[in-house]
Amino acid sequence: MALRIAWLLLLAALAAGQPPARTEVGPAVCHPDCSKHGTCGEDGFCRCPFGRLGEACETDFLAPCRQFPDTEALCGSVFGKSCECLRRCREWFCIKDSGGWEFCHGLVPRSPRACYEREGVPPDQQYSKFPEPGEKGVKCYTSWEAGAAEADCSTVATLGVDVSFPLSKCPDQCSKRGWVTALFCFAHCTSTACLVERDVRWDHLFALFVPAVPAGRGECIGEYCHCKPPYFSIDCSRSKVYPPAHSLPSPVDFKIYIYEIPTRLSYENKQFAGWSHFDQIYVAWQMFLRQFLVSSVRTEDPSAANLFFLGDFVYGYTGNTAPGNEHFHLLIDHVKHRHPYWNATNGTDHFLWSTTDRGGCYLQGDAQNAIKLVHFGMTSTPNWHSPVFPHVGHPNYGCTHPLRDVVTPPHDLYASQWLQQSLKLTLDEMLALKKRMLFFSGGILPDVADYSGGSRAILHRLAKEWADPDYVLGTGDERPADFNYHKYLRTSKFCLSAYGHGWGIRMVQIMLNGCVPLIVQEYVLQSHEEVLPYETFSIRLTNEDLPHLREILRGISEEQYRSLLQGVRQYMPAFAWDPSAGGRAFDYTIASLRRRYLNYKASYYNSVYMQQ
Ligand SMILES: *[C@@H]1O[C@H](CO)[C@@H](O)[C@H](O)[C@H]1NC(C)=O
Ligand SMILES: *[C@@H]1O[C@H](CO)[C@@H](O)[C@H](O)[C@H]1NC(C)=O
């Protein structure tokens, strides 16, 4: 009964547009039925499983996007869906902000898109179970939009490069746990149950983010964990809510608060967990999040936080090229209205991950004010710019603010393996492996002016002129017969680290394989430059220096090279994310964030300056 009264009082406050009037630390208060389907994550906020809505998550909104009543609901472009599912996916991902403007983010179905309907079946039960051949009462349409023309059902099966099949193609209907497509066997099924054709890419599955929940505190389906009261949060780790002005941030301890966000606004969407859309190199943010959730830098008390973390899951909404402006707008609009912290600093002490190839280059709106964790540190601005990189970003700082944003290393699937192998070698053993001066292998793209700021093309051209066997630069056919990427990195003294269309993975590969990076990336800040002494383990040149490269490298004495390689050995853990393999990228990211917090407190920059 007490719970119900607390809830009613809270409801009245929320209805009046006020923040919850909590004065004591204690368990969260929600609708009394919240825990049935959801998790009471903060006062008045029942965090629902993906696809459910309502104060107690009572509405199974995306039910038509399940194959069976109790399997997972999925939107996105993989496999043919029911028309009702597509209609609801649109509604789920198109949300009105506080100003009444609709923003669509994420997996909004594109129109026209063919779909199917089962006659006489109520909307909530129009499950997205791909029709069996000759199934009675199935009608197909050219689109999910009202008034769409009828279509041949074969048109539903093919969507881009993806081809859907009925579940009868698999034994036991894929154990009711998978989907059948030509390209991809979706989550939770065994390979034999779902293999319809080759090209099942299992390596992509384990890249999904699944929180680690302490035993007995909850059950997870995908990213969503249904926590047992009083536990809540993404990993069921919290049990207390704090009043807004409970404490003050410590000037000594560095603490970060992660917001509790509705699954409708931020979730590990699985569209990109299949076939061509998901790539391991984009999951550094997961490695960060996993370690952050259990680290001592996390605080449950937002008023004690130095910085605020918006868990944005942006990769699942945009893939690797779109900036996700709509997604960030909705997310920030939400935290701005529910909590006092964004407005207090205009977002300057908030951070978010922007994992796209070009990092913060195309971000707009409120997200501009926050600290961005990116992999691409381009600082060329529209007013002071690289001759070849497009004149994008903010007029004052381009894509990355050197005093505010944090450049982090991307994740490489082999990072742990390489790091462990390298750490076993002594410096002399590493030196003894070196057989040539310089190595690079990768795309050159001489006709794409902004690709790698031209550096790859310039060096490639020069290397052809030199025809010096000590300089191995090649792509495809030009590679030597005994080519092995990892071995060539290990056996070369210097390895070229140039960027590509956006950030590159090479710096990570070079460092972890014990090669000294030759960084040619004009205007681009490197990972953790503010906390790593790059001069002790790399050399940096401009495009203009490249014609003299051989003289420059010849001028580096054996003793100097030895010292650089020692630097590589010392700092390579900063480029790997897995702590169990010795990776320390998480620690360096926290150190960088802490530096950023100090820059902000010292007024080295401010949001007003950044708006000009
Ligand atoms: C923050 O500012 C916006 C205006 O930008 C306002 O609508 C909102 O109510 C404020 N949030 C809080 C919690 O006061
Ligand atoms: C806060 O940021 C917004 C843009 O996000 C800007 O229009 C406004 O001037 C800023 N206000 C202050 C006080 O910095």
Side-chain angles (χ1 to χ4, degrees), residues 276-287:
S276 58
H277 282 81
F278 201 102
D279 198 320
Q280 292 281 350
I281 61 174
Y282 293 95
V283 301
W285 66 270
Q286 290 186 357
M287 314 292 264

Side-chain angles (χ1 to χ4, degrees), residues 17 19 98 333 335-344 346 366:
S98 57
D333 189 63
V335 299
K336 223 185 204 182
H337 286 84
R338 266 202 89 86
H339 304 270
Y341 309 106
W342 180 282
N343 284 2
N346 220 4
D366 280 339

Side-chain angles (χ1 to χ4, degrees), residues 134-284:
E135 187 181 327
K136 294 263 172 336
V138 175
K139 277 196 170 158
C140 295
Y141 295 90
T142 53
S143 158
W144 42 275
E145 286 172 305
E150 241 185 270
D152 188 289
C153 283
S154 62
T155 59
V156 184
T158 308
L159 189 80
V161 287
D162 182 43
V163 184
S164 308
F165 293 94
L167 276 176
S168 61
K169 278 265 181 194
C170 282
D172 193 24
Q173 301 202 85
C174 207
S175 312
K176 296 196 178 174
R177 297 175 81 187
W179 305 74
V180 193
T181 82
L183 276 159
F184 185 65
C185 164
F186 223 85
H188 304 315
C189 43
T190 66
S191 54
T192 48
C194 258
L195 246 164
V196 168
E197 284 176 18
R198 276 286 320 130
D199 210 11
V200 177
R201 297 173 65 175
W202 290 100
D203 53 333
H204 291 168
L205 273 183
F206 87 95
L208 286 176
F209 181 77
V210 181
V213 170
R217 289 197 184 175
E219 304 280 331
C220 308
I221 300 173
E223 177 255 298
Y224 180 78
C225 299
H226 187 202
C227 310
K228 291 215 171 87
Y231 296 107
F232 66 92
S233 195
I234 187 168
D235 57 344
C236 306
S237 59
R238 293 183 56 185
S239 56
K240 292 191 187 90
V241 177
Y242 288 73
H246 182 69
S247 36
L248 285 173
S250 159
V252 183
D253 290 341
F254 179 62
K255 294 288 176 192
I256 296 168
Y257 177 79
I258 181 169
Y259 284 107
E260 306 297 329
I261 311 267
T263 47
R264 190 174 178 193
L265 286 177
S266 189
Y267 187 71
E268 172 91 313
N269 284 300
K270 289 197 182 159
Q271 147 94 337
F272 295 103
W275 47 313
S276 58
H277 282 81
F278 201 102
D279 198 320
Q280 292 281 350
I281 61 174
Y282 293 95
V283 301

Side-chain angles (χ1 to χ4, degrees), residues 279-471:
D279 198 320
Q280 292 281 350
I281 61 174
Y282 293 95
V283 301
W285 66 270
Q286 290 186 357
M287 314 292 264
F288 175 85
L289 180 57
R290 201 168 285 136
Q291 290 169 76
F292 169 74
L293 290 175
V294 295
S295 83
S296 59
V297 87
R298 182 180 180 190
T299 177
E300 288 192 52
D301 174 4
S303 63
N306 304 92
L307 293 182
F308 295 82
F309 178 12
L310 284 167
D312 55 70
F313 290 87
V314 69
Y315 185 71
Y317 287 79
T318 62
N320 67 324
T321 51
N325 285 317
E326 301 78 6
H327 178 61
F328 286 120
H329 173 80
L330 290 168
L331 204 54
I332 292 168
D333 189 63
H334 172 82
V335 299
K336 223 185 204 182
H337 286 84
R338 266 202 89 86
H339 304 270
Y341 309 106
W342 180 282
N343 284 2
T345 63
N346 220 4
T348 318
D349 55 359
H350 283 54
F351 70 88
L352 52 88
W353 276 89
S354 174
T355 47
T356 52
D357 292 353
R358 285 192 168 173
C361 289
Y362 306 102
L363 276 184
Q364 282 167 2
D366 280 339
Q368 283 272 21
N369 282 358
I371 297 167
K372 261 82 72 188
L373 266 56
V374 295
H375 298 314
F376 191 44
M378 177 55 81
T379 62
S380 170
T381 75
N383 300 331
W384 165 253
H385 52 76
S386 148
V388 288
F389 195 79
H391 309 164
V392 297
H394 192 278
N396 292 350
Y397 57 83
C399 309
T400 315
H401 192 297
L403 292 174
R404 178 196 63 196
D405 299 325
V406 175
V407 185
T408 64
H411 172 63
D412 191 291
L413 193 53
Y414 300 102
S416 302
Q417 197 181 317
W418 288 337
L419 177 61
Q420 283 172 327
Q421 283 170 9
S422 296
L423 291 176
K424 278 190 203 128
L425 300 177
T426 65
L427 181 58
D428 287 316
E429 284 168 338
M430 276 180 149
L431 273 167
L433 294 171
K434 303 300 177 193
K435 286 188 183 146
R436 72 189 68 75
M437 191 62 103
L438 183 80
F439 168 62
F440 172 79
S441 171
I444 305 293
L445 275 64
D447 302 328
V448 184
D450 64 345
Y451 190 69
S452 80
S455 311
R456 298 185 191 204
I458 295 170
L459 195 56
H460 186 247
R461 199 182 58 236
L462 288 165
K464 279 219 150 137
E465 271 171 36
W466 298 334
D468 182 339
D470 222 17
Y471 284 71

Side-chain angles (χ1 to χ4, degrees), residues 412 418 430 433-441 483-497 505-516 561 565:
D412 191 291
W418 288 337
M430 276 180 149
L433 294 171
K434 303 300 177 193
K435 286 188 183 146
R436 72 189 68 75
M437 191 62 103
L438 183 80
F439 168 62
F440 172 79
S441 171
F483 184 75
N484 170 313
Y485 186 56
H486 149 84
K487 207 164 105 199
Y488 266 73
L489 290 170
R490 278 215 185 288
T491 53
S492 303
K493 288 180 83 174
F494 296 94
C495 297
L496 175 69
S497 169
I505 189 95
R506 284 202 171 59
M507 195 62 191
V508 170
Q509 298 171 334
I510 294 169
M511 287 297 287
L512 296 181
N513 282 297
C515 185
V516 173
Y561 183 76
L565 195 60

